[in-house]
Amino acid sequence: MAARRVRLKIQRQDNPNSKAYWEEFELRWRPGMNIISAFMDIAMNPVDRHGKQTMPITYDSNCLEEVCGSCAMRINGRAAMACSSLIDKLEQPIRLQPLSRFPVVRDLTVDRAVLFENLKQVKAWVPVDGTYDLGAGPRIDPAVQEQAYPLSRCMSCCLCMEVCPQFTESTQFVGAAIINQVRLFNLHPTGAHLREERLRVMTSDGGIHECSYAGNCVQICPKNIPLTTSISIVYGQVMKQTVRDLFQNPELTSARKEPGRR
Ligand code: SF4
Ligand code: SF4
Ligand code: FES
């Protein structure tokens, strides 16, 4: 009996400015194969389906267990994580393409710097002002911990942005992952010191008002983060902050910071 084969069709691009092209590969099937293990097989023997020598595929990966968020790509047209996508569950030939909303660096590697720039804009961290011993820190109510834990599972994979109809050049929308981080850090007793600044960034160009509540983000998130709930909660916080600023800090309402973009 002929050995089982795996067929892959991979969209390649040699550099950010060159044209994309397709290459096809045929590999020997092994039990439990996923997309990353198929890439490893290609790297060991980089020849295409017709036996022509080629280059190993460039892609990002790290943890290989859906934790680091780096291996996001389009698999058969759907945004997904390569390390948890099993070959046996996919229709062949399996089409692999880079995420479409981010600039391609090479092959399946894209530049997701916009996510990290926007995390900086919303100060997605707990402020600590010194290197001296700050003590144990505030106690966090178990009820707050329960709310925060699911939000903290975000792995910056950007799938929610890839499928968001509003994440475009023209809207400059920051996307659901950023809004979720605003909710997370506003929940933290020390992180809440920067709450007002975060909420003001959310009212700038590309802020929360750009969300059309289409809900694609919550359906695709591999970590099952309640993104639309986060959006509703942060929207309420932003509204209250805007009204407060209108009366207490009117000068701020006319001079908002802009979130970053590619
Ligand atoms: S919110 Fe979910 S889909 Fe979006 S970046 Fe985080 S883990 Fe990925
Ligand atoms: S609800 Fe829709 S528009 Fe809003 S962030 Fe999610 S996918 Fe984008
Ligand atoms: S390699 Fe880390 S999420 Fe896939």
mmCIF file of all heavy atoms in Angstrom, residues 160 163-166 173 175-176 179 210-218 228 231, ligand 2:
data_model
loop_
_atom_site.group_PDB
_atom_site.id
_atom_site.type_symbol
_atom_site.label_atom_id
_atom_site.label_comp_id
_atom_site.label_asym_id
_atom_site.label_seq_id
_atom_site.Cartn_x
_atom_site.Cartn_y
_atom_site.Cartn_z
ATOM 1 N N CYS A 160 -7.698 38.060 16.587
ATOM 2 C CA CYS A 160 -8.889 38.903 16.732
ATOM 3 C C CYS A 160 -8.814 40.127 15.819
ATOM 4 O O CYS A 160 -9.835 40.625 15.336
ATOM 5 C CB CYS A 160 -9.084 39.333 18.186
ATOM 6 S SG CYS A 160 -7.661 40.144 18.915
ATOM 7 N N VAL A 163 -9.444 39.124 11.941
ATOM 8 C CA VAL A 163 -10.828 38.892 11.497
ATOM 9 C C VAL A 163 -11.748 40.088 11.755
ATOM 10 O O VAL A 163 -12.931 40.032 11.446
ATOM 11 C CB VAL A 163 -11.435 37.636 12.178
ATOM 12 C CG1 VAL A 163 -10.649 36.390 11.825
ATOM 13 C CG2 VAL A 163 -11.526 37.813 13.694
ATOM 14 N N CYS A 164 -11.220 41.152 12.310
ATOM 15 C CA CYS A 164 -12.054 42.305 12.673
ATOM 16 C C CYS A 164 -12.304 43.189 11.439
ATOM 17 O O CYS A 164 -11.351 43.667 10.831
ATOM 18 C CB CYS A 164 -11.353 43.116 13.770
ATOM 19 S SG CYS A 164 -12.213 44.642 14.154
ATOM 20 N N PRO A 165 -13.566 43.426 11.084
ATOM 21 C CA PRO A 165 -13.817 44.250 9.895
ATOM 22 C C PRO A 165 -13.360 45.697 10.074
ATOM 23 O O PRO A 165 -13.185 46.426 9.098
ATOM 24 C CB PRO A 165 -15.341 44.172 9.719
ATOM 25 C CG PRO A 165 -15.877 43.773 11.049
ATOM 26 C CD PRO A 165 -14.805 42.963 11.724
ATOM 27 N N GLN A 166 -13.184 46.116 11.320
ATOM 28 C CA GLN A 166 -12.810 47.511 11.590
ATOM 29 C C GLN A 166 -11.298 47.726 11.702
ATOM 30 O O GLN A 166 -10.853 48.863 11.791
ATOM 31 C CB GLN A 166 -13.478 47.962 12.894
ATOM 32 C CG GLN A 166 -14.974 48.042 12.835
ATOM 33 C CD GLN A 166 -15.423 49.054 11.810
ATOM 34 O OE1 GLN A 166 -15.756 48.697 10.686
ATOM 35 N NE2 GLN A 166 -15.400 50.313 12.173
ATOM 36 N N PHE A 173 -8.157 51.451 13.934
ATOM 37 C CA PHE A 173 -8.719 50.832 15.143
ATOM 38 C C PHE A 173 -7.677 49.960 15.856
ATOM 39 O O PHE A 173 -6.980 49.173 15.222
ATOM 40 C CB PHE A 173 -9.939 49.992 14.734
ATOM 41 C CG PHE A 173 -10.627 49.292 15.865
ATOM 42 C CD1 PHE A 173 -10.826 49.910 17.093
ATOM 43 C CD2 PHE A 173 -11.109 47.997 15.693
ATOM 44 C CE1 PHE A 173 -11.475 49.252 18.131
ATOM 45 C CE2 PHE A 173 -11.763 47.334 16.722
ATOM 46 C CZ PHE A 173 -11.940 47.965 17.948
ATOM 47 N N GLY A 175 -8.215 47.470 17.987
ATOM 48 C CA GLY A 175 -8.590 46.044 18.031
ATOM 49 C C GLY A 175 -8.949 45.558 19.429
ATOM 50 O O GLY A 175 -8.652 46.186 20.446
ATOM 51 N N ALA A 176 -9.597 44.376 19.442
ATOM 52 C CA ALA A 176 -10.175 43.841 20.672
ATOM 53 C C ALA A 176 -9.122 43.480 21.724
ATOM 54 O O ALA A 176 -9.358 43.625 22.920
ATOM 55 C CB ALA A 176 -11.017 42.611 20.341
ATOM 56 N N ILE A 179 -8.244 46.504 23.811
ATOM 57 C CA ILE A 179 -9.345 46.918 24.691
ATOM 58 C C ILE A 179 -9.428 45.963 25.887
ATOM 59 O O ILE A 179 -9.648 46.367 27.033
ATOM 60 C CB ILE A 179 -10.671 46.958 23.896
ATOM 61 C CG1 ILE A 179 -10.558 47.989 22.769
ATOM 62 C CG2 ILE A 179 -11.851 47.282 24.817
ATOM 63 C CD1 ILE A 179 -11.704 47.978 21.784
ATOM 64 N N GLU A 210 -14.606 52.908 17.289
ATOM 65 C CA GLU A 210 -14.515 52.303 15.949
ATOM 66 C C GLU A 210 -15.086 50.891 15.921
ATOM 67 O O GLU A 210 -15.342 50.346 14.854
ATOM 68 C CB GLU A 210 -13.051 52.240 15.479
ATOM 69 C CG GLU A 210 -12.388 53.587 15.284
ATOM 70 C CD GLU A 210 -12.959 54.348 14.089
ATOM 71 O OE1 GLU A 210 -13.785 53.781 13.364
ATOM 72 O OE2 GLU A 210 -12.559 55.520 13.922
ATOM 73 N N CYS A 211 -15.255 50.256 17.077
ATOM 74 C CA CYS A 211 -15.765 48.881 17.114
ATOM 75 C C CYS A 211 -17.225 48.858 16.656
ATOM 76 O O CYS A 211 -18.035 49.643 17.115
ATOM 77 C CB CYS A 211 -15.659 48.327 18.533
ATOM 78 S SG CYS A 211 -16.474 46.743 18.743
ATOM 79 N N SER A 212 -17.528 47.934 15.738
ATOM 80 C CA SER A 212 -18.915 47.850 15.238
ATOM 81 C C SER A 212 -19.663 46.683 15.881
ATOM 82 O O SER A 212 -20.744 46.322 15.432
ATOM 83 C CB SER A 212 -18.903 47.693 13.719
ATOM 84 O OG SER A 212 -18.244 46.482 13.375
ATOM 85 N N TYR A 213 -19.100 46.074 16.895
ATOM 86 C CA TYR A 213 -19.720 44.949 17.628
ATOM 87 C C TYR A 213 -20.095 43.779 16.719
ATOM 88 O O TYR A 213 -21.100 43.116 16.929
ATOM 89 C CB TYR A 213 -20.931 45.428 18.449
ATOM 90 C CG TYR A 213 -20.525 46.373 19.554
ATOM 91 C CD1 TYR A 213 -20.622 47.735 19.380
ATOM 92 C CD2 TYR A 213 -19.988 45.877 20.735
ATOM 93 C CE1 TYR A 213 -20.200 48.609 20.372
ATOM 94 C CE2 TYR A 213 -19.570 46.740 21.729
ATOM 95 C CZ TYR A 213 -19.678 48.103 21.546
ATOM 96 O OH TYR A 213 -19.260 48.948 22.513
ATOM 97 N N ALA A 214 -19.276 43.547 15.693
ATOM 98 C CA ALA A 214 -19.550 42.426 14.787
ATOM 99 C C ALA A 214 -19.325 41.089 15.497
ATOM 100 O O ALA A 214 -19.920 40.080 15.130
ATOM 101 C CB ALA A 214 -18.647 42.518 13.561
ATOM 102 N N GLY A 215 -18.452 41.057 16.491
ATOM 103 C CA GLY A 215 -18.274 39.844 17.299
ATOM 104 C C GLY A 215 -17.359 38.788 16.697
ATOM 105 O O GLY A 215 -17.214 37.711 17.266
ATOM 106 N N ASN A 216 -16.728 39.069 15.551
ATOM 107 C CA ASN A 216 -15.815 38.061 14.961
ATOM 108 C C ASN A 216 -14.672 37.737 15.920
ATOM 109 O O ASN A 216 -14.188 36.613 15.972
ATOM 110 C CB ASN A 216 -15.172 38.587 13.666
ATOM 111 C CG ASN A 216 -16.193 38.884 12.603
ATOM 112 O OD1 ASN A 216 -17.377 38.725 12.842
ATOM 113 N ND2 ASN A 216 -15.741 39.317 11.453
ATOM 114 N N CYS A 217 -14.245 38.741 16.659
ATOM 115 C CA CYS A 217 -13.077 38.593 17.542
ATOM 116 C C CYS A 217 -13.317 37.523 18.606
ATOM 117 O O CYS A 217 -12.481 36.650 18.829
ATOM 118 C CB CYS A 217 -12.746 39.929 18.199
ATOM 119 S SG CYS A 217 -14.165 40.714 18.987
ATOM 120 N N VAL A 218 -14.484 37.571 19.241
ATOM 121 C CA VAL A 218 -14.750 36.646 20.346
ATOM 122 C C VAL A 218 -14.887 35.218 19.829
ATOM 123 O O VAL A 218 -14.566 34.252 20.522
ATOM 124 C CB VAL A 218 -15.985 37.123 21.156
ATOM 125 C CG1 VAL A 218 -17.290 36.846 20.437
ATOM 126 C CG2 VAL A 218 -15.995 36.522 22.546
ATOM 127 N N THR A 228 -16.074 40.521 23.695
ATOM 128 C CA THR A 228 -17.173 41.482 23.533
ATOM 129 C C THR A 228 -17.636 42.006 24.903
ATOM 130 O O THR A 228 -18.049 43.156 25.027
ATOM 131 C CB THR A 228 -18.345 40.856 22.730
ATOM 132 O OG1 THR A 228 -18.513 39.504 23.151
ATOM 133 C CG2 THR A 228 -18.072 40.863 21.248
ATOM 134 N N ILE A 231 -15.205 44.678 25.700
ATOM 135 C CA ILE A 231 -15.484 45.890 24.911
ATOM 136 C C ILE A 231 -16.643 46.668 25.555
ATOM 137 O O ILE A 231 -16.560 47.885 25.730
ATOM 138 C CB ILE A 231 -15.792 45.515 23.437
ATOM 139 C CG1 ILE A 231 -14.519 44.973 22.761
ATOM 140 C CG2 ILE A 231 -16.342 46.718 22.668
ATOM 141 C CD1 ILE A 231 -14.743 44.285 21.428
HETATM 142 S S1 SF4 B 2 -16.651 43.261 18.032
HETATM 143 FE FE1 SF4 B 2 -16.270 43.264 15.821
HETATM 144 S S2 SF4 B 2 -15.546 45.339 15.338
HETATM 145 FE FE2 SF4 B 2 -15.393 45.055 17.565
HETATM 146 S S3 SF4 B 2 -13.311 44.352 17.888
HETATM 147 FE FE3 SF4 B 2 -14.584 42.503 17.718
HETATM 148 S S4 SF4 B 2 -14.503 41.946 15.533
HETATM 149 FE FE4 SF4 B 2 -13.745 44.055 15.713
#
